[in-house]
Amino acid sequence: MSSTPMAIDSPMGANGLGSKSGGALPTSKVSEMISLFRPSKHFRREPPATVPGKPPSPYSSILSLDFDDEGGLLLTSESDNSMQIYSVKDGKHHKTLLSQKYGVMHAMFGHASGCILHSSTKQNHTIRYLSTHDNSYLRYFEGHEKNVTCLSLHPGQDNFLSCSEDNTLRIWDAATKNACGKLNLHGAYLAAWDPSGNVFAVASPTAQTILLYDFRNFDREPFSTFDMLPYFQNGQNSPSKGWSKLEFSNDGKHILLGTTGTQHFLLDAFDGHLKASLLRDRGAVRRLAAGDHNPEGMDPQSSEFLYPSTGDCCFTPDGRYVLSGSRQQNVLAWDTLASAQERFLRPVHELEYKGDSAVIAFNPRYNFFATGDKEAVFWVPDQSLA
């Protein structure tokens, strides 16, 4: 899939991606552009005005990032119980959606235009289906009894998966409020669809396994089980903590298991063997992994208070590269085709950025990706560097 062209325009000007009037956007392989990505837009929202006698409000932290199917909009969920929508093509903030009553953690676009699915952090653990056209809820998906740790949308249908600390995975159809299925799985905190939508994977950091299910026969035993314990015995990662992301590559050949430690794991999607450990010396931005919690009673204003995230690594759309955030500076890029010395890979590129990158997402249509922590950052290739 590396030959599939991606629409690009770089560097991003005042009007975002843009295009020449009446003309088509230029195209290029990701492999030709990967080393040229640079930050082009920064969006940092000012905290609310300080109330006399109270400490100043901190900047909100970005918890999740997601692009719509057309690649024209970016959605963030944030620690101040808001969701923000940005226009990719215009390079501007588009809309604010508030969820003060229910809170928000993981938010993602549905396939229907202008619709968002998001998990809740207040009152209950219901998943909500929101119309951005009039900011009204279309449907509630009830059933989870504890925190929802992951949402994953089917690539071609309105089905989606939800994982929870109540030790269940539920399968939903956005068109109906009732779950289509439920799996009782201990510590199953992460899930992902393969690009065909026929298979989904479930990761349990507690059991240290990744399970593969046939979507059409999900009520049967998993057809493959990948044991991750041997890969955590080198002392660089805790065996039962720190799993933050599960993702298939678009060519269906690899599975990426992201962590909050000093390495991510690239697995063969067919037999589960470790292709490479992706090393990052500076480690991750301090965030909670799926299923982790702050100590009880910790003040959210404390510098030790950690927010969750939906993972700081992802594949590029051609499946060749893995991108990852890093603590303090730069975004890292690994080439999955590179020769791995003793199954360890170091980044082939460090894309320059002064700041933390706690979440990351690559646009499905354009040579464009976004990162976030205290600010949302747009990245496009700077062709002046070519």
Side-chain angles (χ1 to χ4, degrees):
M1 293 188 63
S2 61
S3 62
T4 304
M6 302 281 293
I8 62 162
D9 187 58
S10 175
M12 183 183 289
N15 295 319
L17 282 173
S19 64
K20 295 180 180 179
S21 178
L25 288 168
T27 59
S28 183
K29 295 179 182 179
V30 174
S31 59
E32 297 171 352
M33 296 288 107
I34 190 68
S35 66
L36 306 181
F37 279 93
R38 295 294 183 271
S40 58
K41 290 278 185 178
H42 302 252
F43 299 92
R44 180 177 289 235
R45 297 170 50 241
E46 292 297 324
T50 302
V51 177
K54 292 188 176 182
S57 300
Y59 285 95
S60 64
S61 294
I62 296 174
L63 310 178
S64 69
L65 294 171
D66 189 52
F67 290 98
D68 70 343
D69 288 346
E70 300 303 317
L73 298 174
L74 172 70
L75 171 68
T76 72
S77 62
E78 311 210 359
S79 59
D80 63 354
N81 302 314
S82 75
M83 291 170 280
Q84 308 295 328
I85 299 177
Y86 298 89
S87 170
V88 170
K89 293 187 177 181
D90 294 334
K92 296 179 180 178
H93 181 266
H94 176 62
K95 184 180 291 187
T96 296
L97 303 166
L98 299 178
S99 184
Q100 300 296 333
K101 182 177 180 181
Y102 302 117
V104 59
M105 196 295 176
H106 193 158
M108 63 183 183
F109 285 109
H111 291 307
S113 177
C115 292
I116 289 172
L117 288 156
H118 77 83
S119 58
S120 308
T121 59
K122 298 180 179 180
Q123 294 195 14
N124 53 42
H125 306 289
T126 297
I127 300 163
R128 292 176 161 80
Y129 194 32
L130 176 69
S131 169
T132 64
H133 300 298
D134 55 5
N135 202 26
S136 64
Y137 285 108
L138 304 175
R139 198 160 291 113
Y140 298 147
F141 303 99
E142 300 175 329
H144 283 303
E145 298 175 356
K146 293 185 178 180
N147 291 337
V148 173
T149 56
C150 179
L151 297 175
S152 183
L153 182 66
H154 188 284
Q157 300 172 193
D158 286 332
N159 296 101
F160 66 94
L161 307 172
S162 63
C163 300
S164 169
E165 293 175 17
D166 63 9
N167 295 316
T168 68
L169 176 143
R170 294 173 191 256
I171 304 170
W172 309 87
D173 184 335
T176 178
K177 67 178 183 178
N178 297 316
C180 304
K182 183 176 81 168
L183 298 176
N184 295 303
L185 299 170
H186 186 58
Y189 294 153
L190 298 170
W193 297 93
D194 90 321
S196 72
N198 295 324
V199 171
F200 63 85
V202 185
S204 170
T206 306
Q208 302 157 45
T209 57
I210 297 175
L211 311 175
L212 266 57
Y213 287 87
D214 181 343
F215 178 39
R216 293 159 296 187
N217 301 291
F218 64 83
D219 54 343
R220 299 180 183 176
E221 293 294 314
F223 64 84
S224 288
T225 299
F226 303 154
D227 182 11
M228 294 300 298
L229 180 59
Y231 310 134
F232 285 92
Q233 292 180 332
N234 59 14
Q236 294 200 41
N237 280 291
S238 168
S240 61
K241 296 288 186 180
W243 295 18
S244 60
K245 181 70 172 282
L246 189 68
E247 182 178 337
F248 281 89
S249 60
N250 274 346
D251 58 11
K253 296 179 179 179
H254 295 115
I255 294 175
L256 175 64
L257 177 63
T259 80
T260 57
T262 55
Q263 58 186 313
H264 304 304
F265 296 92
L266 183 70
L267 306 175
D268 185 287
F270 297 101
D271 60 19
H273 81 266
L274 180 68
K275 299 290 286 288
S277 293
L278 310 179
L279 302 179
R280 51 174 177 176
D281 294 336
R282 288 186 300 276
V285 180
R286 295 176 66 241
R287 291 289 187 99
L288 295 173
D292 288 351
H293 294 270
N294 288 292
E296 187 174 352
M298 176 175 283
D299 184 357
Q301 303 291 336
S302 168
S303 61
E304 296 300 312
F305 186 88
L306 302 182
Y307 287 102
S309 86
T310 51
D312 65 350
C313 59
C314 69
F315 285 107
T316 55
D318 62 356
R320 176 171 177 176
Y321 297 94
V322 173
L323 299 182
S324 173
S326 181
R327 187 179 300 177
Q328 298 177 340
Q329 63 181 8
N330 299 355
V331 167
L332 311 178
W334 294 268
D335 187 348
T336 64
L337 300 182
S339 176
Q341 297 296 325
E342 297 183 351
R343 293 186 176 177
F344 289 100
L345 273 183
R346 292 199 172 273
V348 293
H349 302 293
E350 288 208 23
L351 309 176
E352 296 177 5
Y353 170 62
K354 296 298 183 183
D356 289 332
S357 299
V359 287
I360 190 169
F362 210 106
N363 193 298
R365 298 295 179 100
Y366 302 106
N367 265 332
F368 177 107
F369 69 88
T371 59
D373 184 46
K374 301 299 184 184
E375 63 180 5
V377 183
F378 287 7
W379 294 70
V380 295
D382 183 349
Q383 293 178 327
S384 70
L385 302 174

